[in-house]
Amino acid sequence: MTIHPQLTIPETIAAGPGPGNTDARVLARFAGAGLADHMHPAVLRGMVECKEMLRDVMGTKNVHTFGVAGTGWSGLDVMFSAVMPGDTVVMFVNGTFSGIDGLTVRMKAATAEELAANPMDPQPASVTIVTVPHGQSVTGEIVEKALAEHKPKWAAMAHWETGSGRVNDIKGFSDACEAHGAMGLVDAVSSLGVEDFRIDDFPGVHGWASCPQKGICCLPLTYAPVSFTDHYIDVLKSTGTRTFVHHPIMEARHWGIIDGKDVGTGTYHRTHSAYAVAAFHEALRITLQQTVAQRAKDYTFHEAALRDAVTAMGCEVTSNMTSLIVLNLPYDMAGREMELVQHCRAQNFGIWPTLSEPVQVRIGILNLLNQQAIEDIVVRFGQAMRDLGAEFSQDAVNAALDRHYGRAIAAE
Ligand SMILES: *Cc1c(COP(=O)(O)O)cnc(C)c1O
């Protein structure tokens, strides 16, 4: 028998695409919750309050708005559960995560025969994958053209593709879905809580799924936000789906959503953790107190500073998300991306490579919305570049930061 020593996990700077840096207030609520069971009135009330605050964060009147225990993929699995074998789907893929969404959709839409033919990577005839090259966005024209041609039951894409750091055209997507009678499904894992948008402004989209640990800053794995229109729920009611735990209608019951209506308290669906409910509740309170609009402004402001600083080091930024920059190293360092990332990570400076080709470097600023944090990232990244032999002008980097933050102390 081996009893390992107590696990110690070091302090790191989470400067990647996610998870983000959880607010101390969230951790305090997590650790401060009492051991109430999942049917305790305070827990049930907390879940109802979370549901109500989540509607404000997402900008929706959808009754079916709640959290799914787990990570982004858990929420996405609930959202895609309405896709049934043989359903026609057009899926737009422009990076790692929409690529996995595409795999999920192919698994759900495959007939029994199609799944058995290639169980880990089915290729159902009813699914069309439209691939947009890494580093480019899915545009409204691309969606319009594909939906006009295929007229599918469902259309799906990532709002923000975190693999390549690209923002996709959500309005163009929603408009095309409406024009061609497709029900839109959107992976909003990276955009919720970072961009200022209201899901109800996109009526072509009927299902949304996000995650706890990126824009919502609630890493103690809590709840993946999801929201569904009444139309989505009606379609699901008519087809059913083959899951109990991830069934959008059944899962909603514990959040006090029964027969399409809010009821005072929920009924049992599965065990919920008082710790998770308390943490999620506080994360939503923080988001609403700071406001989604202000956080979005802060992301835009600080991303621009970081972008200019790494550009002054000779890097080329190819992303347009505001929580993350994706960059190519200067020409003479091309091919050394993994070496650089490993070097940073070895110092608990948690930046990331891309997870699919081409290899690029990703630096994120989730919940690092202040000058000090950004300057710290710039210093660490610049030092790591120099350690690998890069040469650049520190004056140019400082000047880039000064343009955004102003000179804190006048130079003599
Ligand atoms: C992070 C991410 C996911 C996966 O989320 P997990 O929390 O790792 O399950 C899915 N889609 C997008 C766009 C993401 O950024």
Side-chain angles (χ1 to χ4, degrees), residues 17-19 70-76 96-98 100-101 158-163 187-191 209-214 221 224 321 362:
T71 70
W73 295 127
S74 312
L76 285 157
T96 312
F97 294 97
S98 47
I100 299 174
D101 287 331
H159 183 193
W160 288 14
E161 169 51 66
T162 324
D187 172 345
V189 167
S190 240
S191 55
S210 190
C211 79
Q213 81 280 12
K214 286 175 181 158
L221 273 191
M321 280 170 51
R362 296 188 294 164

Side-chain angles (χ1 to χ4, degrees), residues 55-257:
R55 288 178 188 151
D56 286 331
V57 168
M58 298 181 89
T60 186
K61 295 198 160 35
N62 286 340
V63 175
H64 284 86
T65 302
F66 54 92
V68 179
T71 70
W73 295 127
S74 312
L76 285 157
D77 196 58
V78 170
M79 179 180 82
F80 286 126
S81 71
V83 175
M84 297 302 287
D87 276 3
T88 52
V89 191
V90 174
M91 172 83 221
F92 300 90
V93 171
N94 67 324
T96 312
F97 294 97
S98 47
I100 299 174
D101 287 331
L103 174 59
T104 304
V105 162
R106 288 186 283 112
M107 287 172 162
K108 306 264 188 207
T111 62
E113 295 72 28
E114 287 169 332
L115 190 58
N118 193 348
M120 305 308 281
D121 192 22
Q123 308 290 334
S126 60
V127 176
T128 304
I129 304 282
V130 176
T131 305
V132 174
H134 179 101
Q136 295 179 27
S137 295
V138 179
T139 63
E141 296 80 69
I142 292 172
V143 178
E144 165 60 34
K145 187 164 167 282
L147 299 193
E149 182 185 340
H150 297 285
K151 303 253 184 239
K153 176 177 177 184
W154 308 99
M157 82 172 184
H159 183 193
W160 288 14
E161 169 51 66
T162 324
S164 54
R166 297 298 303 184
V167 174
N168 295 329
D169 181 358
I170 190 69
K171 178 162 192 314
F173 177 83
S174 172
D175 289 350
C177 285
E178 278 198 290
H180 300 290
M183 283 182 284
L185 301 174
V186 168
D187 172 345
V189 167
S190 240
S191 55
L192 186 70
V194 179
E195 192 183 50
D196 186 15
F197 70 104
R198 299 178 51 80
I199 68 172
D200 282 0
D201 290 342
F202 304 103
V205 183
H206 292 273
W208 298 81
S210 190
C211 79
Q213 81 280 12
K214 286 175 181 158
I216 300 297
C217 307
C218 199
L219 180 60
L221 273 191
T222 56
Y223 291 107
V226 292
S227 186
F228 307 107
T229 64
D230 290 348
H231 180 53
Y232 172 105
I233 295 296
D234 286 344
V235 168
L236 179 64
K237 266 189 203 150
S238 69
T239 61
T241 182
R242 290 186 172 86
T243 173
F244 164 77
V245 73
H246 276 175
H247 195 300
I249 296 171
M250 291 183 175
E251 177 89 286
R253 296 176 306 180
H254 212 129
W255 298 85
I257 302 162

